[in-house]
Amino acid sequence: MKHIAAYLLLVLGGNKTPSAADVSAALSAVGVESDSERLGALIEDMEGKDIDELLASGNELLAKFGGGGGGGGGGGSGGAAAEEEVEEEKEEEKEEEMDLGGGMDMFGGDEAGDGNY
């Protein structure tokens, strides 16, 4: 998949017929090693073929499988509950804040620190 993805990115970038060296360089630029055997097979398979035609024919094949179905639906009234939760969280935050009277630091001392920790 990494070889096909890099090949397609190179085509999108304007290189109509990327070579094995082009794909390998693109992969190594992002720290990914290429498998020369698989990459060679991909380049051989793509030789003399138009990527747009291949994608169109693949799309037609996928259309034959159908898709979608009865799923989906449900989950219609979650918005109001989410708003209530947000409001409750805000109220809880206000309750947690309390005035410590000014002179107390995190270790329980009465003097404020001078910042040299």
Side-chain angles (χ1 to χ4, degrees):
M1 289 299 281
K2 62 185 174 186
H3 299 107
I4 294 170
Y7 186 93
L8 290 173
L9 285 171
L10 289 166
V11 170
L12 284 173
N15 185 348
K16 292 292 180 186
T17 55
S19 67
D22 294 334
V23 174
S24 184
L27 289 172
S28 67
V30 293
V32 177
E33 291 184 31
S34 62
D35 180 355
S36 60
E37 196 173 303
R38 288 185 178 186
L39 180 55
L42 172 67
I43 299 299
E44 185 178 316
D45 287 344
M46 296 301 294
E47 193 171 316
K49 296 179 182 173
D50 181 30
I51 191 71
D52 294 324
E53 290 175 12
L54 287 173
L55 291 174
S57 67
N59 196 19
E60 290 172 12
L61 290 173
L62 287 175
K64 291 179 184 178
F65 285 107
S77 66
E83 287 179 21
E84 289 178 18
E85 286 181 25
V86 172
E87 289 178 18
E88 287 178 17
E89 286 178 15
K90 287 182 182 177
E91 289 177 17
E92 287 178 16
E93 287 177 15
K94 290 179 183 177
E95 291 174 10
E96 289 177 10
E97 296 177 14
M98 61 182 188
D99 185 20
L100 297 176
M104 192 166 158
D105 67 5
M106 74 185 252
F107 298 109
D110 291 333
E111 297 178 15
D114 63 359
N116 294 329
Y117 302 116

